[in-house]
Amino acid sequence: MENQHHASAQYDEVEEANVPRYATEEEILASFGYKQEMSKTISTISNFSIAFGCCSILSGLTPMWGDAMLSGGSIAIIWGWILVSVFTFGVGLSLAEICSAYPVTGGLYIWVARLAPTKWVPIMCWLTGWCNWLGLTVAITSADLGLAQFMSSVIGITNPDYDAGIYWQYGIFLVIIVIHGIINSMHIKYNGFFNQASLYWHLVGTLLIIIVALVLTPNKASAKWVFTFFENDTGFSSNSYAFLIGLLQSQYTLSGFDSAAQMSEETRDAARSAPRGILYAVGAAAITGFVFMLSINFCIQDFQRQIVETTMSPQMTQVFLDGVGYKWTVVFTVIIMGAMFFSGSALTLGSSRMIYAFARDGATPFSRWLSIVNRSTQTPIFAVWANVLFAAIVGLLYIVNETAFNAIVSINTIASSLAYFIPISLRLTVARKSFQRGPFHLGPFSDIINFTSCFWILFTSILFVCPTQYPVTADNMNYASVIFAFVMLASLAYYFLRAKKWFHGPGRSLEEEGPLSPVTFDDSFESITFAPGVEKIKKVNEGFDLQKGSTTAQ
């Protein structure tokens, strides 16, 4: 018996020795030259709630549902959603694997510093960071403009003679975005509660809409119509092209899930919780979105009158009004508006953490201010309001162009997708053998999933700069490519003219010039400062060299 016990003990020791030891989150942070500045108060469910809020199906699907119906009918809605969901989950898997290895606020931008060849780190990090920031910040504009549209439609239901024009809608948008700025300037613990409330609001609200709409709507569409009806009202002769344009709604909705990675430094056990947040968000949004779209399409009674000819915007409101009556339509719109509000807040939160992480490496104008963390609220307040201001400026496009909302959505989708593409492609190519995986990994399926993700991202990015209506005029042109190119060229000009002198990637930008001078504002604020160097960290998990990209003085 004693021999058996001794043998068992030896076996346990060997088994424990074979279990890989991954770098702790503190070690990973230190290897970049950072220290833990924010409180780790966010749980897995809160992290997932933030990412799910950014993928909000109610705020993403409802404003553009009518346009998608005109670009491919029910086929584009139902089958397009399934297609986009499958490929987007693949992208989520690719990002989750990298996130598990580098659970640091800044997400994609930070990951590139470890994946790119040393001499390419600065420019690759720069492009990734600016794409990621642009995608998340423009998403605030699209979410809050969608909410303003829905609020205007509620006014139209109550008073059919009242026309809430574009200027009124933009005014409502400004009020909403300022409220989101105030919410995200509060203490992070309130944001955790707020985003968990968002999760339950989305799930319960979506379920209520589905059940009530299906029960009360008379003359529902047949299953054959829902799964096979096609309509091309884009003006283009190619039905295939029209269908592909209809995918924009789905791809736009299933974006922003990298916000789970942006909250890594505030999430407990981030190496496991943040990847779960990404995958749970995409998976939950894919399933609930499919059921939601299916139920709405079954409630269509007259496609021509409710979708093509209606003057009500968004068109889904007309479907609700005809199907469930005035009172329930008000309830539905309140649920959807609440979801949009939660989504805009989550996007404001995630984008502020991204620009904060970027600014603490000196990669933005006014970096010293944008990298300040308020001591009492533990939030980067200036980063929050900088994003609010930029989102409000982008919203001006809604006033000057009739297809501006689609263009704004396209910018968000393209910028976010390219920010995803850079780290995934680096992981697949130059970092294929050197990548040291974290607790979550894809094993032997990593290469094929990463290759598929890269293909899908490039395909959709090219597609969404194309025009959405024919004939193409100055009024309906898709200006997404113009705006995206302007921002990226401006950022590159700033890099080559100024930032190239000091920006060398995360945690290494301050080696030559020393730490940032503290910004004195008042005693409730403190600036982010860095030690001029960090000690080399012992290798862990065979070959995991944390010296690469560190701020160690050579």
Side-chain angles (χ1 to χ4, degrees):
M1 180 68 71
E2 186 176 346
N3 289 337
Q4 287 181 341
H5 176 75
H6 180 67
S8 176
Q10 283 184 323
Y11 176 79
D12 290 340
E13 288 177 5
V14 172
E15 186 179 44
E16 185 175 344
N18 289 332
V19 175
R21 177 188 179 270
Y22 300 103
T24 66
E25 291 164 22
E26 290 75 15
E27 288 173 336
I28 295 173
L29 267 178
S31 75
F32 283 100
Y34 302 144
K35 62 180 180 178
Q36 185 69 45
E37 296 286 344
M38 299 184 185
S39 176
K40 278 188 171 290
T41 58
I42 296 179
S43 62
T44 301
I45 189 69
S46 293
N47 184 283
F48 156 57
S49 300
I50 293 168
F52 183 76
C54 293
C55 293
S56 169
I57 59 167
L58 293 179
S59 66
L61 293 176
T62 49
M64 298 184 65
W65 175 79
D67 291 338
M69 287 293 288
L70 296 173
S71 298
S74 191
I75 285 180
I77 297 293
I78 303 302
W79 296 108
W81 179 260
I82 294 174
L83 178 68
V84 171
S85 295
V86 171
F87 280 102
T88 303
F89 192 79
V91 175
L93 285 170
S94 297
L95 295 180
E97 181 181 47
I98 306 174
C99 177
S100 182
Y102 313 119
V104 181
T105 292
L108 313 169
Y109 149 74
I110 296 289
W111 305 343
V112 169
R114 288 292 161 82
L115 298 172
T118 303
K119 69 176 182 178
W120 291 101
V121 164
I123 188 64
M124 298 302 285
C125 287
W126 186 270
L127 290 172
T128 304
W130 279 96
C131 282
N132 196 201
W133 169 76
L134 182 62
L136 287 171
T137 310
V138 172
I140 302 171
T141 306
S142 59
D144 287 355
L145 272 177
L147 175 54
Q149 289 177 344
F150 245 95
M151 293 182 72
S152 300
S153 73
V154 171
I155 298 173
I157 294 172
T158 307
N159 183 7
D161 296 327
Y162 177 77
D163 180 21
I166 290 178
Y167 293 101
W168 271 107
Q169 291 180 28
Y170 183 77
I172 295 171
F173 159 74
L174 289 180
V175 173
I176 295 167
I177 203 170
V178 168
I179 294 174
H180 282 152
I182 295 172
I183 290 173
N184 285 282
S185 298
M186 298 167 63
H187 196 281
I188 186 63
K189 67 180 180 182
Y190 298 116
N191 272 292
F193 170 79
F194 190 78
N195 284 291
Q196 286 196 36
S198 167
L199 174 64
Y200 298 122
W201 181 279
H202 275 87
L203 295 178
V204 175
T206 303
L207 184 63
L208 180 65
I209 292 174
I210 291 170
I211 294 174
V212 174
L214 289 176
V215 170
L216 296 184
T217 300
N219 306 317
K220 285 185 280 291
S222 65
K224 181 180 179 181
W225 187 92
V226 170
F227 288 101
T228 63
F229 176 74
F230 183 84
E231 177 84 5
N232 178 8
D233 290 319
T234 62
F236 291 100
S237 59
S238 173
N239 289 336
S240 299
Y241 180 77
F243 170 80
L244 293 175
I245 291 299
L247 298 181
L248 176 59
Q249 170 204 235
S250 301
Q251 190 63 69
Y252 159 66
T253 303
L254 293 176
S255 64
F257 48 84
D258 62 293
S259 293
Q262 306 293 354
M263 306 304 298
S264 292
E265 289 177 37
E266 297 162 85
T267 302
R268 296 189 294 270
D269 192 19
R272 293 175 176 82
S273 297
R276 288 172 185 161
I278 292 173
L279 298 178
Y280 292 170
V282 178
I287 294 170
T288 53
F290 175 73
V291 177
F292 178 71
M293 288 289 92
L294 200 61
S295 63
I296 297 302
N297 282 23
F298 268 112
C299 292
I300 297 174
Q301 302 177 62
D302 187 338
F303 179 85
Q304 189 67 25
R305 182 180 62 82
Q306 293 178 314
I307 310 299
V308 179
E309 298 174 355
T310 183
T311 58
M312 192 167 290
S313 178
Q315 295 97 316
M316 190 179 290
T317 310
Q318 185 69 61
V319 175
F320 289 153
L321 195 60
D322 294 343
V324 299
Y326 170 76
K327 291 184 179 179
W328 273 112
T329 299
V330 172
V331 173
F332 287 1
T333 52
V334 168
I335 292 172
I336 292 171
M337 288 189 296
M340 290 178 168
F341 186 81
F342 281 124
S343 177
S345 181
L347 288 164
T348 305
L349 178 65
S351 65
S352 69
R353 297 316 189 262
M354 195 281 130
I355 198 65
Y356 153 77
F358 213 26
R360 67 181 174 183
D361 291 316
T364 67
F366 311 109
S367 290
R368 285 182 171 83
W369 294 100
L370 297 179
S371 60
I372 292 176
V373 176
N374 183 285
R375 187 175 298 170
S376 59
T377 65
Q378 298 182 332
T379 56
I381 292 180
F382 289 114
V384 170
W385 287 99
N387 284 348
V388 166
L389 177 61
F390 181 81
I393 293 173
V394 173
L396 289 170
L397 294 172
Y398 184 62
I399 297 176
V400 300
N401 185 270
E402 66 184 48
T403 59
F405 188 80
N406 283 350
I408 292 170
V409 169
S410 294
I411 297 169
N412 159 230
T413 307
I414 296 165
S416 296
S417 295
L418 290 179
Y420 299 163
F421 176 80
I422 296 174
I424 296 173
S425 61
L426 290 172
R427 164 73 181 90
L428 180 64
T429 55
V430 294
R432 182 179 178 184
K433 294 182 179 179
S434 61
F435 178 75
Q436 299 297 319
R437 64 194 190 189
F440 175 86
H441 56 85
L442 302 177
F445 302 102
S446 180
D447 287 349
I448 185 62
I449 292 175
N450 289 331
F451 177 82
T452 305
S453 297
C454 288
F455 164 78
W456 179 251
I457 290 171
L458 288 178
F459 174 72
T460 53
S461 297
I462 294 171
L463 177 65
F464 294 148
V465 298
C466 298
T468 58
Q469 294 181 17
Y470 186 84
V472 180
T473 65
D475 290 333
N476 64 25
M477 177 63 186
N478 184 353
Y479 289 100
S481 57
V482 177
I483 301 166
F484 176 75
F486 172 78
V487 173
M488 296 311 298
L489 288 174
S491 72
L492 285 173
Y494 180 69
Y495 173 77
F496 284 109
L497 293 176
R498 293 197 59 190
K500 187 178 180 180
K501 299 175 183 177
W502 70 79
F503 181 77
H504 304 295
R508 298 185 296 175
S509 305
L510 308 175
E511 290 179 2
E512 296 179 4
E513 296 189 356
L516 291 174
S517 301
V519 176
T520 56
F521 188 75
D522 60 39
D523 59 3
S524 65
F525 285 86
E526 63 180 356
S527 62
I528 303 302
T529 58
F530 307 98
V534 296
E535 296 181 359
K536 293 183 179 180
I537 296 171
K538 185 180 180 181
K539 293 183 181 180
V540 292
N541 189 25
E542 189 178 355
F544 185 41
D545 187 357
L546 290 176
Q547 295 175 49
K548 180 184 177 184
S550 71
T551 56
T552 306
Q554 299 297 325

